[in-house]
Each structure stands twice: as C-alpha cells, then as structure tokens.
Amino acid sequence: MTRLVIEKVNAAFGLIITNWDPAFIGNPQIFSEIKEALAEDPLIIFRGQRQLTDFELIQFASTFGELFNGGELFGVDSTTPEILELSTELDEGGSEKLVSSSTPLPWHTDYCYLPRPSRESFLNAVVVPSTECGTTWFANTYLAYESLSESLKQRIVTLSGLHQLEGSNRHQAAAETRTYRDRRSQKNSNFNYPGNRNPVKHPVAYTHPFHNRTALYINSLTCGFADVDNSESEALLHELFLEAAAPERTYKHVWEENDLLLFDTIGTIHRREAQPLNERRVMRQLSTLI
Ligand SMILES: [Fe+2]
C-alpha cells in the first residue's frame, strides 16, 4: 500500500509531499494521511505531480469540504466558479483578462471579510515566472497565538476582530502600495472586486473546529475590534499584527510549475510579492468554507 512521503520544508513549519499522484484522489487512506498532516502543520506543498485538470482540482479540494464560489464573488463568467483563476495576462486594451496575479497582496486570510471565511485554501501554479518573483509568503498563526503572553491571551479571549476588504494596504510596504495603485487601472472592469462591504466579526483567538488548536486570527484586513474604542484598538491591532506576521514564523514559497499548496486558512496568513508585468503568472485558487 502506498504511503505518502511527508517531509519538513522549513524550520518553523511547512511540509512537502513529492509522491502524491492525482490518481490518489478519492483514496480514503491517502486522504486521512493528508488530513492528519494538516492537523499537525498548516501548510502542505504537493510537488512533482502532473498538472491537475479543473475537474480533478475541484474533486480533490471538495473532499475537504464545501467549496466557495470564488469566481462568482468576483463576477468571473466561468463554468467552474469554484476555481478562481488569477492571471497576469492582458487583453488588447491593456486590461487584465482575469483576476490580477501581478499586484502585491499584503498579509491576509482568504475571505475573512465574509461571514463564512475559508477553512482550507488551495493554490496551484499553472504558469510561473521565469525569474524568482510573485512568491508567496506564509506565517503560522497557531505558533503566533502560542507565543503570546498569558495576560495577552486573556485580553483577547473574548474579543472579536472586525474584517473588511477595504483598507487592505495596511501594513503594506510603501513600494508595494505604489505598485498596487499604479496597476489599478488595468483591472478588468467586468469583475466585481469585492470592497466597501460591512465589516464582519470573527474571534481573535480562533479555535479550529477539527483539531482545536487556537490561532491568532489577525491580518491586514482586520480593521478593529468589536466593542473596543478606536484609540485602544489601534495599539492592540498593531501589537497583534506584528505577532501574527513575525518573521521567525514565516515560510517563503518560490513557485514551480504544477505546485499545489494546501493550507489551513485559520492557522496561516499569506502575502504575495509583486512581479514585473513582462512575466507571466497564472494560478488557480480554491477555498473550502468554515
Ligand atoms: Fe490569498
């Protein structure tokens, strides 16, 4: 019977599996090995397999839970709305054909600005740049929560964070914010880039429903806290954000074609570096819902 070869890829966290095969989709033993690994470590990299078809990708992701229709949220007309396609490709008018893949994204949690945020996310590289750019960074927010002082844990145990897509350039480096603004005009105007939504509440100390580890659920889309006044809120948010994104608990992923990343979206935050416009980058993204 095949068993997965699972190895650590980084000192802080991150696992890599190099003998997974799309033919394993639907195999209950392989699925439980992956779920057990994900309960131990919130980031798994599948590398070396052939590219999955859209159908296989949806089939694999849906074994973890109900999938979110990311394409539908962004208004992308697609027969597979569970797959949000991100691309650098431009049309003749200079607009992006799909959802942007070249702009930098600050530390975030997928769909935390929705009442039912993501529980697991999947990110698959279809076309990768020829040079090292467009890399994705991850931070482990279980480790961030565990590193907090007991008094800070007590302080946040009953707190709810407010999450909103607007203002997502908080904590972004100035150069990245400039790049983001410079490329705003090339966005495809047919898509509804979600924004200006009412903030939603989620626990700051977020306990995963399966394995009960608690994460520090704070990212650059967290705009404050319920029932905490603004002056106190800013200082606390800053302090907690620095913990969530602490460099010693990060992993940098340099993409290879066909890479498939599976990550626990409660226990990680991630960010994307910008990339030059002359480089192609195409990704497929899916998320399960809490
Ligand atoms: Fe994301």
Side-chain angles (χ1 to χ4, degrees):
M1 186 186 293
T2 306
R3 288 197 70 87
L4 294 174
V5 177
I6 304 175
E7 294 169 295
K8 277 187 84 69
V9 75
N10 177 47
F13 72 105
L15 300 173
I16 186 162
I17 299 178
T18 50
N19 70 333
W20 183 79
D21 189 289
F24 297 156
I25 296 168
N27 178 320
Q29 175 234 321
I30 298 281
F31 176 66
S32 75
E33 279 183 58
I34 296 170
K35 276 204 92 166
E36 268 172 43
L38 191 63
E40 294 294 318
D41 192 306
L43 172 67
I44 299 179
I45 298 148
F46 298 90
R47 175 166 281 179
Q49 68 282 346
R50 68 161 170 82
Q51 191 59 281
L52 277 69
T53 63
D54 282 354
F55 177 77
E56 287 171 329
L57 189 56
I58 291 170
Q59 204 182 15
F60 178 58
S62 63
T63 53
F64 291 82
E66 181 189 351
L67 295 181
F68 182 68
N69 281 343
E72 205 170 276
L73 177 77
F74 283 82
V76 181
D77 189 19
S78 165
T79 53
T80 53
E82 302 92 338
I83 298 177
L84 184 66
E85 212 171 328
L86 313 168
S87 174
T88 52
E89 289 180 31
L90 305 179
D91 62 21
E92 318 77 61
S95 291
E96 286 161 338
K97 287 182 178 171
L98 292 163
V99 175
S100 181
S101 183
S102 72
T103 51
L105 286 178
W107 288 113
H108 68 281
T109 299
D110 293 336
Y111 304 127
C112 68
Y113 46 87
L114 300 179
R116 284 181 74 191
S118 167
R119 191 183 61 219
E120 290 101 10
S121 280
F122 303 80
L123 207 46
N124 166 236
V126 180
V127 179
V128 297
S130 58
T131 53
E132 186 185 315
C133 57
T135 53
T136 307
W137 286 80
F138 291 85
N140 183 328
T141 51
Y142 292 125
L143 297 179
Y145 176 79
E146 288 157 17
S147 78
L148 299 179
S149 66
E150 282 309 311
S151 60
L152 196 47
K153 283 182 184 165
Q154 286 304 315
R155 170 82 184 89
I156 64 171
V157 71
T158 56
L159 272 189
S160 290
L162 301 172
H163 300 259
Q164 190 177 30
L165 192 56
E166 198 185 357
S168 63
N169 61 3
R170 288 169 74 94
H171 307 289
Q172 195 170 37
E176 294 197 332
T177 302
R178 267 196 306 279
T179 306
Y180 187 84
R181 286 193 184 133
D182 289 348
R183 295 183 188 176
R184 196 180 274 169
S185 61
Q186 71 186 36
K187 282 187 170 183
N188 188 322
S189 55
N190 294 324
F191 299 157
N192 317 308
Y193 284 89
N196 284 321
R197 290 162 182 269
N198 292 329
V200 298
K201 286 196 282 189
H202 297 299
V204 176
Y206 206 126
T207 300
H208 194 284
F210 295 164
H211 50 66
N212 294 325
R213 283 184 82 184
T214 299
L216 178 59
Y217 201 75
I218 292 285
N219 65 83
S220 66
L221 307 180
T222 318
C223 53
F225 304 96
D227 307 317
V228 177
D229 71 50
N230 277 349
S231 54
E232 194 186 342
S233 186
E234 273 302 307
L236 182 62
L237 191 54
H238 185 68
E239 182 179 2
L240 294 176
F241 181 85
L242 292 180
E243 288 293 345
E248 65 270 24
R249 294 187 285 270
T250 59
Y251 162 71
K252 177 185 182 181
H253 189 70
V254 180
W255 292 95
E256 288 186 12
E257 217 157 82
N258 298 1
D259 276 357
L260 173 60
L261 269 54
L262 158 61
F263 48 100
D264 170 343
T265 335
I266 299 172
T268 55
I269 52 176
H270 58 285
R271 72 178 179 89
R272 179 175 78 202
E273 289 184 350
Q275 67 164 64
L277 286 174
N278 59 354
E279 288 279 2
R280 281 185 74 215
R281 182 180 192 267
V282 181
M283 312 288 287
R284 293 183 291 180
Q285 193 278 347
L286 303 90
S287 283
T288 58
L289 290 167
I290 285 178

